[in-house]
Amino acid sequence: MLVVLELTVIRTAWTFDVDYGGLILAGVIWMLGWCMVLLAAVIWLPTWAVGLAGFLIVVGQNLLPAVASASGGSMQWLWQFLYLGGEVRFGESGPTITILYTLVPWIGVMALGYACGAVVVMERATSQRILLRIGLAATALFVIAGGVLVFAGPPSDDGMPAWFRLLNQRKYPASPLFLLMTLGPSIALLPLAERARKGLADVLDTFGRVPLFYYLLHIPLIHATALLVWYLRDGAFGAARFATAPYVFIQDPRQQWSLSLLYLVFAVDVVMLYFACRWYMHVKVTRPRAWMRYV
């Protein structure tokens, strides 16, 4: 279901275009769908084995380009789906899929998350203590390993400050350092998030109860509000910019948004999404339907 949504509803939401002979993006929802299919096969293994497999995939992913190169060109399309990414064309005149999120390393992350479930269901104090240690250890490892690579390596050709270079880790596909940088602090904050009550906790809980509804709604909302803001500011929608969305690059400084305008539109969209999600959450509770469990 997720893969189909990515190639149809989400693709149309990015571009407002139903011509599938053009850009077809295989993004994060595509990746999550295929990883769930793969996870359905490996959960029959012992939990420790699933976690170990996820760990080996994450830390060993940099070996895959060499393996792909040695396998020859006939399997190039498969390696692109698995790790390399890029454009895959089906036939001489068939559609082209641009693969943004590959299965590796994210199937490794999902396997690690599945194994982490064994920690989450432990007695609360024990679970929080282990999660805090895992999160802090991952964050410390990122700072140490990333710092060594930045400060012991050659200086940047573009003059980028060392702090920026430390944070400028590869996301497509996500490198081990990128995953340590992002997942480490998130895991360390989980015990604190469990203690949160009211206020912001309720807001985040509302979004978390209807995550796919939020995702399916946020892309067309951002697209529509961007077109509206451009029209109010410049007198033209500029819809052609979104023909290859989300790959939108505004080169002309006169057409670029100020940072204050960007954050204002962001805040307005999040507020609108909150009220939409709160309504849908209420509908799921008061008038549930079988299909709502998936959205």
Side-chain angles (χ1 to χ4, degrees):
M1 181 190 72
L2 294 179
V3 172
V4 172
L5 283 174
E6 180 75 74
L7 299 180
T8 55
V9 175
I10 296 173
R11 187 265 180 199
T12 302
W14 278 118
T15 62
F16 287 178
D17 181 9
V18 294
D19 178 13
Y20 291 94
L23 175 73
I24 299 178
L25 182 70
V28 62
I29 300 299
W30 153 283
M31 173 274 297
L32 289 173
W34 285 120
C35 284
M36 290 174 71
V37 171
L38 294 176
L39 189 65
V42 301
I43 59 174
W44 300 103
L45 299 173
T47 302
W48 67 265
V50 177
L52 178 61
F55 175 79
L56 293 176
I57 291 172
V58 169
V59 300
Q61 60 173 290
N62 291 333
L63 298 174
L64 291 181
V67 177
S69 178
S71 66
S74 61
M75 300 296 290
Q76 178 69 14
W77 64 271
L78 178 59
W79 286 111
Q80 287 183 255
F81 278 105
L82 290 177
Y83 188 70
L84 301 177
E87 294 185 351
V88 175
R89 177 175 291 277
F90 293 89
E92 292 294 329
S93 58
T96 298
I97 295 182
T98 301
I99 304 168
L100 183 60
Y101 278 84
T102 55
L103 273 62
V104 176
W106 295 110
I107 181 58
V109 173
M110 189 173 286
L112 285 171
Y114 177 84
C116 191
V119 175
V120 174
V121 298
M122 291 179 179
E123 187 271 328
R124 185 172 183 178
T126 302
S127 172
Q128 292 185 346
R129 183 172 62 254
I130 294 175
L131 290 173
L132 182 62
R133 289 175 178 175
I134 292 174
L136 292 178
T139 305
L141 182 58
F142 161 73
V143 172
I144 295 171
V148 169
L149 291 175
V150 168
F151 293 103
S156 174
D157 294 333
D158 57 9
M160 183 182 294
W163 175 249
F164 283 16
R165 283 187 285 144
L166 177 63
L167 297 179
N168 189 30
Q169 301 298 329
R170 189 190 72 215
K171 183 181 179 182
Y172 304 105
S175 67
L177 283 176
F178 177 87
L179 296 173
L180 288 171
M181 176 182 71
T182 53
L183 295 180
S186 299
I187 295 171
L189 288 173
L190 280 176
L192 179 63
E194 288 187 359
R195 300 190 187 102
R197 295 290 184 273
K198 302 299 180 182
L200 181 60
D202 289 342
V203 173
L204 297 178
D205 184 65
T206 298
F207 288 132
R209 289 181 181 274
V210 290
L212 186 55
F213 178 81
Y214 176 95
Y215 190 91
L216 293 176
L217 195 58
H218 91 286
I219 295 175
L221 177 62
I222 291 171
H223 189 165
T225 51
L227 293 175
L228 177 60
V229 169
W230 256 308
Y231 182 78
L232 294 175
R233 195 190 70 165
D234 302 337
F237 289 111
R241 297 186 182 101
F242 294 87
T244 56
Y247 299 106
V248 179
F249 302 98
I250 310 300
Q251 303 293 345
D252 187 349
R254 295 170 299 178
Q255 297 180 351
Q256 294 174 356
W257 292 9
S258 66
L259 199 56
S260 58
L261 176 60
L262 178 65
Y263 280 126
L264 174 62
V265 175
F266 158 76
V268 170
D269 281 355
V270 170
V271 170
M272 288 193 291
L273 286 165
Y274 168 74
F275 286 107
C277 289
R278 191 175 69 172
W279 165 81
Y280 184 68
M281 182 181 69
H282 178 72
V283 171
K284 286 183 71 173
V285 173
T286 58
R287 299 193 299 275
R289 299 291 186 273
W291 59 268
M292 288 183 177
R293 63 189 295 191
Y294 299 107
V295 181

